[in-house]
């Protein structure tokens, strides 16, 4: 198929042609296209099926608010469902497929749901899947699961990488439309550190979609020049393809930057980066979203938002239809008619709901003031519309404008509620903004160009002055204010057929009325009962018209009816990006003991203890299972000697004049009188008397102790001890530090343990008389290596624990290093001796 | 959230561990006559105010200071940050 709908102009690079496929069909586009604009250029109007009724659907918008054109991208492990074709940047070799249909896109057997529509209205699930109870799991759940969801996951591990990053700035400007660019220029010129983030790949916002002029040049040209100037400033960071999705506490914003989604091959680079942006001030210049008018059968492919139709013509050089009609309740919709007519596209009709004068004369178009569209025709694409006056107009594209709603989302992420402005029939940010945030341009209800440019500059100057910078004196960019009169016309009452509000979740005007009739009148109830605004687009185009209809039903005003709460994220954030590098084995990295490598080579089976991997037993050839290994290790320890790496136990070094008094307070048993050179078992309790932790503490010197804790509790015990030191007994002279990683520690147990250790200690008498049970000492081993020796036993055997600085504890064979040749030795299975120890002595952990 | 550490300046809340109500500093005297009742309160009873709350945060990924942070639980506004040791001393805790 050639690019049958391609027209002149636009910000695309026609010198290059990009081939791509949609449902296997080869198509062509150009750099600068989105998948949506390329599909339209190739005459592909039908791109998907709706969620519930499986109605044929086409591209509805030209931005991230898209409810209809959800497609699946790429193949195999890279497969990605539910992407909005309107935001996907075209690249060579892109493979896209439609989703949510059984059978082909053209013949979806699930479209039978559409015939059942009278029974599938709001609350269908709640009313239907109730009885009999026996059906819940066996019939209803499998059925609901089979129908749920849109696209399909690849079901293999995501091969892409995702990163996280942190940025700091004086002023974060969210959105690079006219207000945002004007603001970033002003702030950048003042010397403040500025971040300018925009979800689009070409900054400029609506300037790229309109034919408006700034400083005497095309708006898109002015935007490109502004970006060039900003790029030359070292204090400004421009982030295209970056959606600021959430406003968090204390000036922190979340942003998702798409790094390689627009490339055929990521080439090892991270696919997306999740940024945490710390800002002193933020300026929201996120623009506005056009909303539709609900009228009967308004969901056919070819029915689009008027501003989107204009964007496709002006920015992408695509006419979404050959014969375009406009249905509007405001002045802005007329510009779709004049812009497209100027490009030579046939305008068949302009229908304005207002009984006023025509805004423009369009050659050969029927102008119908006070008109209503009451029906449409065309199963898989619009062919004609019928008006309330009975006139039927053949058309393949109906551009609908119901006015513009400021993108107030981020202003409400901290429970702020928007206020209603009657003159533009829209919610605007109220005074209750997140601290540090201001709003300018269309996001603030300032919908006209000159005013938006000025407001962006003024707000930025105010913010930087607040931060101590001298505001730039450069004059604001010059432009005119376009006509933006609007009326509050929400839906066409005439006509009997279904009128859609939420296209993605198939919520119609009738559903909203039914919700009201059945008592679900709060907007929050309306939302949940009908699923209005609960699809991936979060009702960006649907919510306000639906609220207006709810208000009509209840007899309240729209501001009295209110909006549902806006929550992050503004647009979907992939789980992969939220996870970043913390996945697989990096989700919870293991800590390894100094003997880990040796243990691995010697057949150890490991167990996770806290974050540690600890050798549990060592299998030898011929052993039939863990019990054989454990029995051998126990026997070896009982008969000769066993060695066990106990490095994982927490170790806390405690020093200070009051160290003994401190230990006396935090242990349930007494420590004040523990002599130097002795170890004592200690028990810690919670404040309610329940056992918390235990271990041994050795007194190495008058004011120096070393405590051990259980492996898994080491961090918590240390935290609690710091709490006791700082908050409970702040005048004690005591200091401590965790030395768990600093020392490698081995238990050496069994009747031959003394004989083994005697071979490695330097000039130190470890006879029972000099170094008795519960003794401890600092000494050197193996010719000068510093070490600590504790005569403690958790096995009931003659036993020691010996600690050396961790870098000396890494050895291929602890026994061999210890010079223990000639003595039978075996690694001691950590638990096996203790299992056996009941009859001999104490147990421990 | 950002916590303005009295010694280290503004730090991300992710560096801290949150414990809760700073009344935990006021550990009862275990020798008091009604010690059991006091410890029941101390161990289990907490206020859960909607508004300003003085709470303990531990700079575990930092200098290991315990801090008393006064935070509004509705807005997350932090109005003061003190070293818990200073607070403990001011409240008469000694050895």
């Amino acid at each position: 198929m050639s690019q049958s709908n391609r027209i002149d102009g636009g910000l695309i690079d026609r010198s290059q042609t990009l081939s791509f496929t949609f449902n296997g069909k080869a198509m062509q586009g150009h750099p600068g296209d989105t998948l949506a604009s390329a599909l339209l250029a190739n005459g592909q109007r039908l791109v998907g099926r709706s969620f519930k009724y499986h109605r044929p659907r086409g591209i509805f918008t030209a931005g991230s608010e898209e409810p209809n054109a959800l497609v699946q991208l790429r193949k195999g492990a890279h497969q990605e469902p539910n992407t909005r074709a309107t935001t996907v940047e075209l690249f060579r070799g892109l493979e896209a497929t439609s989703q949510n249909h059984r059978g082909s896109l053209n013949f979806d057997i699930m479209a039978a749901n559409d015939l059942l529509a009278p029974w599938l209205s709001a609350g269908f699930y709640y009313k239907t899947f109730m009885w009999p109870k026996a059906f819940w799991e066996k019939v209803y759940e499998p059925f609901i699961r089979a129908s749920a969801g849109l696209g399909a996951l690849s079901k293999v591990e995501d091969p892409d990488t995702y990163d996280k990053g942190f940025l700091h700035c004086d002023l974060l400007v969210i959105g690079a439309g006219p207000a945002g660019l004007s603001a970033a220029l002003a702030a950048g010129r003042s010397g403040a550190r500025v971040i300018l983030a925009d979800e689009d790949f070409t900054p400029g916002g609506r300037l790229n979609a309109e034919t408006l002029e700034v400083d005497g040049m095309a708006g898109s040209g002015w935007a490109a020049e502004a970006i060039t100037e900003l790029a030359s400033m070292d204090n400004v960071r421009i982030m295209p393809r970056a959606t600021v999705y959430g406003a968090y506490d204390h000036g922190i914003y979340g942003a998702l930057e798409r790094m390689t989604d627009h490339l055929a091959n990521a080439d090892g680079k991270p696919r997306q980066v999740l940024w945490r942006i710390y800002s002193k001030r933020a300026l929201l210049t996120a623009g506005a979203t056009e909303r539709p008018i609900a009228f009967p059968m308004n969901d056919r492919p070819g029915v689009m938002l008027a501003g989107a139709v204009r964007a496709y013509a002006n920015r992408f050089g695509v006419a979404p239809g050959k014969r375009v009609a406009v249905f509007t309740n405001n002045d802005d919709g007329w510009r779709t008619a004049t812009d497209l007519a100027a490009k030579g596209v046939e305008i068949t009709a302009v229908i304005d709901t207002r009984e006023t004068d025509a805004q423009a004369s369009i050659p050969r178009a029927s102008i119908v003031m006070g008109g209503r569209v009451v029906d449409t025709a065309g199963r898989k694409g619009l062919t004609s519309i019928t008006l309330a006056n009975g006139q039927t107009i053949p058309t393949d594209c109906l551009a609908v404008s119901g006015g513009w709603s400021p993108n107030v989302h981020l202003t409400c992420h901290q429970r702020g509620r928007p206020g209603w402005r009657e003159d533009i029939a829209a919610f605007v940010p109220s005074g209750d903004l997140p601290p540090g945030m201001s709003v300018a341009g269309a996001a603030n209800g300032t919908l006209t160009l000159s005013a938006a440019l000025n407001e962006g500059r003024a707000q930025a100057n105010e913010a930087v002055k607040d931060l101590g910078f001298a505001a730039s004196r450069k004059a604001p960019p010059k432009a005119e204010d376009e006509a933006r009169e609007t009326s509050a016309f929400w839906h066409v009452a005439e006509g009997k057929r279904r009128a859609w509000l939420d296209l993605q979740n198939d919520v119609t005007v009738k559903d909203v009325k039914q919700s009201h009739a059945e008592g679900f009148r709060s907007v929050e109830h309306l939302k949940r009962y009908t699923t209005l605004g609960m699809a991936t687009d979060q009702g960006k185009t649907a919510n306000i018209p639906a609220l207006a209809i709810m208000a009509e039903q209840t007899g309240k005003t729209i501001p009295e009816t209110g909006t549902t709460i806006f929550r992050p994220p503004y647009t979907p954030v992939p789980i992969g990006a939220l996870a970043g590098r913390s996945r697989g084995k990096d989700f919870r990295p293991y800590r390894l003991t100094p003997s880990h490598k040796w243990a691995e080579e010697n057949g150890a089976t490991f167990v996770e203890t806290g974050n540690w991997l600890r050798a549990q037993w060592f299998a030898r050839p011929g052993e039939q299972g863990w019990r054989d290994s454990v029995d051998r290790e126990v026997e070896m320890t009982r008969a000769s000697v066993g060695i066990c790496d106990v490095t994982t136990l927490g170790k806390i070094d405690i020093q200070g004049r009051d160290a003994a008094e401190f230990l006396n307070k935090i242990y349930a048993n007494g420590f004040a009188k523990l002599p130097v050179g002795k170890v004592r078992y200690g028990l810690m309790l919670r404040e309610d008397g329940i056992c918390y932790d235990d271990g041994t503490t050795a007194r190495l010197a008058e004011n120096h102790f070393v405590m051990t804790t259980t492996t898994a509790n080491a961090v918590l015990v240390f935290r609690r001890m710091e709490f006791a030191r700082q908050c409970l007994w702040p005048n004690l002279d005591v200091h401590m530090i965790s030395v768990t990683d600093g020392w490698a520690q081995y238990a050496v147990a069994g009747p031959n343990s003394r004989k083994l250790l005697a071979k490695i200690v330097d000039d130190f008498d470890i006879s029972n008389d000099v170094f008795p049970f519960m003794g401890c000492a600092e000494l050197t081993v193996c010719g000068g290596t510093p070490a600590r020796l504790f005569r403690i036993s958790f096995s009931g055997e003659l036993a020691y624990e010996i600690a050396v600085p961790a870098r000396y504890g890494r050895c291929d064979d602890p026994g061999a290093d210890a010079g223990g040749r000639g003595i039978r030795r075996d690694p001691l299975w950590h638990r096996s001796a203790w299992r056996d120890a009941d009859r001999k002595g104490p147990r421990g952990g | 959230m950002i916590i303005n550490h009295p010694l280290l300046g503004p730090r991300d809340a992710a560096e801290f561990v949150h414990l809760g109500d700073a009344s935990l500093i006021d550990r009862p005297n275990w020798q008091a006559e009604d010690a059991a009742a006091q410890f029941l309160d101390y161990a289990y009873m907490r206020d859960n105010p909607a508004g300003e709350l003085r709470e303990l945060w531990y700079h575990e990924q930092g200098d290991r200071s315990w801090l008393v942070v006064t935070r509004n639980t509705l807005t997350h506004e932090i109005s003061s940050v003190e070293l818990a040791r200073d607070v403990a001393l001011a409240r008469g805790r000694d050895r």
Side-chain angles (χ1 to χ4, degrees):
Chain A
M1 196 190 297
S2 66
Q3 298 182 47
S4 56
N5 285 7
R6 195 63 86 176
I7 56 174
D8 287 342
L11 307 177
I12 52 169
D13 174 9
R14 288 169 206 258
S15 68
Q16 292 184 58
T17 299
L18 304 175
S19 320
F20 70 101
T21 64
F22 179 69
N23 284 345
K25 192 156 56 172
M27 298 186 182
Q28 266 132 36
H30 300 290
D33 263 326
T34 61
L35 175 59
S37 69
L39 286 169
L40 288 171
N42 285 272
Q44 182 73 39
R45 291 208 287 167
L46 174 60
V47 297
R49 291 275 174 169
S50 70
F51 179 62
K52 193 155 85 171
Y53 301 135
H54 292 256
R55 298 267 304 170
R57 290 288 165 78
I59 292 156
F60 189 63
T61 73
S64 62
E65 68 272 32
E66 176 63 31
N68 273 347
L70 300 186
V71 296
Q72 202 151 288
L73 300 184
R74 305 185 195 244
K75 282 270 160 64
H78 290 279
Q79 178 176 310
E80 189 190 7
N82 305 342
T83 62
R84 289 147 289 161
T86 47
T87 61
V88 174
E89 199 172 340
L90 194 67
F91 57 84
R92 184 167 284 122
L94 173 67
E95 293 173 275
T97 52
S98 54
Q99 54 187 36
N100 202 35
H101 48 82
R102 273 182 229 167
S104 73
L105 175 60
N106 270 309
F107 186 78
D108 175 8
I109 56 171
M110 290 295 283
N113 278 6
D114 200 23
L115 302 174
L116 303 173
W119 295 277
L120 291 178
S121 61
F124 165 72
Y125 279 57
Y126 304 126
K127 293 167 191 164
T128 310
F129 299 113
M130 298 281 282
W131 301 282
K133 190 178 169 185
F135 274 33
W136 287 357
E137 280 185 25
K138 291 195 175 110
V139 181
Y140 296 148
E141 191 186 315
F143 170 77
I144 292 169
R145 281 193 188 282
S147 329
L150 294 162
L153 294 169
S154 69
K155 294 189 178 165
V156 295
E157 195 184 329
D158 187 343
D160 290 314
T161 54
Y162 302 81
D163 254 328
K164 290 191 181 176
F166 301 83
L167 293 172
H168 297 257
C169 62
D170 293 315
L171 180 66
L172 169 65
V173 181
I174 303 163
L181 286 171
S182 171
L185 283 171
R189 286 168 186 155
S190 80
R193 285 185 308 163
V194 177
I195 292 174
L196 173 63
D198 193 277
E199 60 177 0
D200 206 329
F201 52 90
T202 308
R206 287 300 298 179
L207 286 174
N208 295 328
E210 306 286 1
T211 49
L212 304 171
E213 290 191 347
V214 181
D215 279 349
M217 64 181 106
S220 58
W222 179 84
E225 283 196 1
I227 289 294
T228 306
E229 181 181 343
L230 289 166
S232 73
M233 299 180 190
D234 290 340
N235 55 327
V236 177
R237 183 185 182 115
I238 306 165
M239 298 173 72
R241 304 185 180 93
T243 306
V244 177
Y245 62 79
Y248 299 95
D249 295 307
H250 305 166
I252 301 174
Y253 289 80
L256 179 76
E257 185 175 8
R258 290 163 292 275
M259 309 295 287
T260 61
D261 278 352
H262 61 295
L263 304 175
N265 187 344
D267 211 14
K269 295 198 186 88
R271 184 184 160 213
Q272 296 171 339
V273 176
L274 196 77
W275 294 105
R276 184 187 277 236
I277 302 176
Y278 297 81
S279 70
K280 291 186 184 147
R281 294 284 187 282
L283 180 59
L284 183 72
T285 48
T289 300
E290 196 170 18
R291 58 211 183 200
I293 298 170
F295 56 89
M297 303 315 274
N298 60 339
D299 74 326
R300 301 193 193 280
V303 178
M304 299 172 70
L305 289 176
V309 171
R310 208 152 75 222
Y312 286 115
N314 292 332
R315 173 174 171 182
F316 298 103
V318 175
K322 302 279 187 205
R323 310 172 80 192
V324 178
V326 175
F327 181 34
T328 183
N329 68 1
N330 62 79
D331 294 350
D332 192 64
W334 283 82
R335 287 195 292 121
T336 300
T338 51
D339 282 6
L340 267 75
K343 285 183 167 289
V345 180
E346 183 187 340
I347 303 296
T348 56
V350 179
I351 304 110
D352 193 325
T353 59
R354 300 171 296 176
E355 301 276 4
T356 53
D357 296 334
Q359 296 287 308
S361 71
I362 317 275
R364 294 186 303 283
S366 334
I367 307 292
V368 185
M369 300 308 293
R372 311 266 191 277
V373 178
V374 296
D375 200 7
T376 69
R379 173 76 189 150
K380 284 168 192 160
L382 185 69
T383 52
S384 70
I385 56 173
T386 305
L387 307 188
N389 63 13
Q391 198 181 347
T392 292
I393 298 167
T395 180
D396 58 355
C397 174
L398 179 62
V400 183
S401 181
W404 292 75
S405 299
N407 291 327
V408 300
H409 305 66
L410 266 67
T411 68
C412 300
H413 281 179
Q414 286 170 38
R415 303 290 291 198
R417 292 300 187 121
W420 182 254
R421 240 179 75 184
E422 203 67 49
D423 60 324
I424 58 169
F427 281 104
V428 294
S430 71
D432 195 13
L433 300 173
M437 183 193 276
S438 46
V439 195
N444 203 27
T446 307
L447 296 174
T448 59
L449 181 55
S450 176
L453 289 164
N454 281 311
E455 191 173 52
R457 176 177 173 276
Q459 293 283 11
N461 279 341
E462 201 158 304
V464 296
K465 271 193 276 185
D466 231 25
L467 297 172
F469 295 88
S472 150
R473 285 159 179 245
K474 198 156 172 185
K478 285 193 182 57
E480 291 189 2
D481 282 322
E482 65 276 27
R484 292 298 283 251
E485 288 280 305
T486 192
S487 64
F489 182 91
W490 307 105
H491 74 111
V492 174
E494 296 94 334
K496 289 226 162 72
R497 305 179 77 187
R498 282 173 288 170
W500 271 263
L501 290 161
D502 185 327
L503 289 164
Q504 196 176 142
N505 266 354
D506 276 327
V507 180
T508 62
V509 172
K510 183 188 147 202
D511 291 319
V512 174
K513 291 181 176 171
Q514 186 182 334
S515 166
H516 171 261
E518 295 182 8
F520 298 93
R521 291 167 193 184
S522 138
V523 280
E524 298 288 0
H525 292 161
L526 164 70
K527 167 179 166 174
R528 284 153 184 86
Y529 194 55
T530 61
T531 72
L532 171 85
M534 290 172 72
T536 61
D537 65 331
Q538 293 282 292
K540 288 193 176 61
T541 55
N543 284 351
I544 302 297
L547 286 180
I549 290 162
M550 189 48 130
E552 274 176 25
Q553 296 297 308
T554 53
K556 289 187 193 164
T557 64
I558 294 173
E560 279 168 354
T561 306
T563 64
T564 53
I565 293 173
F566 294 91
R567 294 189 178 87
Y570 177 66
T571 50
V573 176
I575 297 287
L578 293 170
R581 304 264 175 180
S582 303
R583 54 190 255 198
K585 69 176 171 33
D586 294 331
F587 178 68
R588 192 165 177 260
Y590 289 127
R591 299 172 76 180
L592 304 179
T593 67
S595 69
H596 184 83
K597 185 163 168 280
W598 179 89
E600 232 173 10
E601 289 161 5
N602 284 271
T605 295
F606 294 95
V607 64
E608 286 183 35
T609 317
N611 287 1
W612 293 93
L613 279 187
R614 192 163 67 184
Q616 192 79 331
W617 66 82
F618 295 80
R620 286 288 147 87
E623 288 175 348
Q624 300 298 310
W626 68 271
R627 184 62 196 267
D628 285 1
S629 311
V630 167
D631 283 355
R632 171 181 46 76
E633 289 167 12
V634 170
E635 291 310 317
M636 187 69 72
T637 306
R638 298 283 175 232
S640 178
V641 64
I643 297 170
C644 169
D645 190 335
V646 294
T647 303
T648 64
L649 292 173
K651 308 179 202 75
I652 300 169
D653 198 276
I654 303 155
Q655 302 192 31
R657 280 194 306 279
D658 299 320
E661 188 184 343
F662 179 71
L663 287 168
N664 207 40
K665 287 180 185 294
I666 62 168
Y667 273 131
N669 50 328
F671 270 77
K673 295 191 177 122
L674 179 68
V676 173
K678 282 288 186 184
V679 183
R680 183 170 291 169
Y681 171 81
L683 176 69
M684 286 183 198
L685 303 179
R686 303 194 323 200
E687 294 291 13
D688 58 5
I690 290 172
C691 183
Y692 183 67
D693 199 71
D694 68 346
T696 59
T697 291
R699 190 167 200 171
L700 296 175
E702 181 63 25
N703 296 330
H704 186 191
F705 294 79
V706 177
M707 172 189 284
T708 66
T709 71
T710 55
T711 298
N713 253 353
V715 171
L716 300 176
V717 169
F718 187 60
R719 188 184 298 165
R720 249 172 78 102
M721 284 168 64
E722 282 289 5
F723 175 76
R725 183 179 76 89
Q726 296 174 41
C727 301
L728 301 183
W729 302 295
N731 269 338
L732 289 182
D733 176 28
V734 58
H735 295 276
M736 53 206 162
I737 192 163
S738 165
V739 293
T740 305
D741 296 304
W743 294 86
Q745 192 151 326
Y746 291 91
V748 183
N752 282 330
S753 54
R754 183 181 292 132
K755 244 164 86 191
L756 177 63
L757 282 169
K759 293 180 182 282
I760 62 161
V761 297
D762 302 337
D763 304 322
F764 186 83
D765 187 352
I766 55 170
S767 68
N768 197 43
D769 294 341
V770 179
F771 195 66
F773 183 58
M774 294 309 256
C776 68
E778 291 183 288
L779 69 165
T780 64
V781 297
C782 300
T785 303
R788 288 171 177 172
L789 189 63
F790 310 91
R791 186 160 160 209
I792 50 177
S793 174
F794 288 93
S795 59
E797 295 293 342
L798 171 67
Y800 299 83
E801 286 189 13
I802 182 158
V804 291
R807 64 181 179 281
Y808 298 111
R810 197 184 184 100
C811 52
D812 288 341
D813 178 342
D817 260 19
R821 259 169 246 294
I823 297 176
R824 289 179 68 205
R825 62 180 187 276
D826 229 337
L828 167 70
W829 174 51
H830 205 79
R831 299 281 154 187
S832 56
W834 295 341
R835 179 178 55 81
D836 192 48
D838 278 344
R839 59 193 160 90
K840 284 211 167 192
R843 292 158 65 87
Chain B
M1 289 200 295
I2 294 172
I3 294 173
N4 198 3
H5 192 299
L7 304 176
L8 303 174
R11 318 293 301 190
D12 193 293
E15 295 175 9
F16 293 81
V17 174
H18 174 256
L19 181 66
D21 196 334
S23 68
L24 281 171
I25 290 173
D26 302 322
R27 189 173 189 262
N29 177 3
W30 62 278
Q31 288 166 314
E33 270 192 19
D34 59 345
Q38 284 192 45
F39 266 93
L40 179 77
D41 270 4
Y42 178 74
Y44 296 116
M45 305 306 283
R46 297 282 184 280
D47 287 338
N48 184 21
E52 281 214 332
L53 177 65
R54 282 160 68 76
E55 51 190 16
L56 286 158
W57 291 72
Y58 177 51
H59 199 200
E60 188 152 80
Q61 309 295 325
D63 74 339
R64 307 199 308 270
S65 286
W66 277 95
L67 304 180
V68 173
V69 175
T70 307
R71 180 180 65 104
N72 187 316
T73 56
L74 296 174
T75 62
H76 289 183
E77 187 191 349
I78 292 175
S79 50
S80 92
V81 184
E82 303 151 273
L83 289 174
R85 182 169 184 272
D86 293 345
V87 174
L89 288 169
R91 295 184 71 80
R93 296 211 67 88
D94 190 8
R95 292 180 69 85

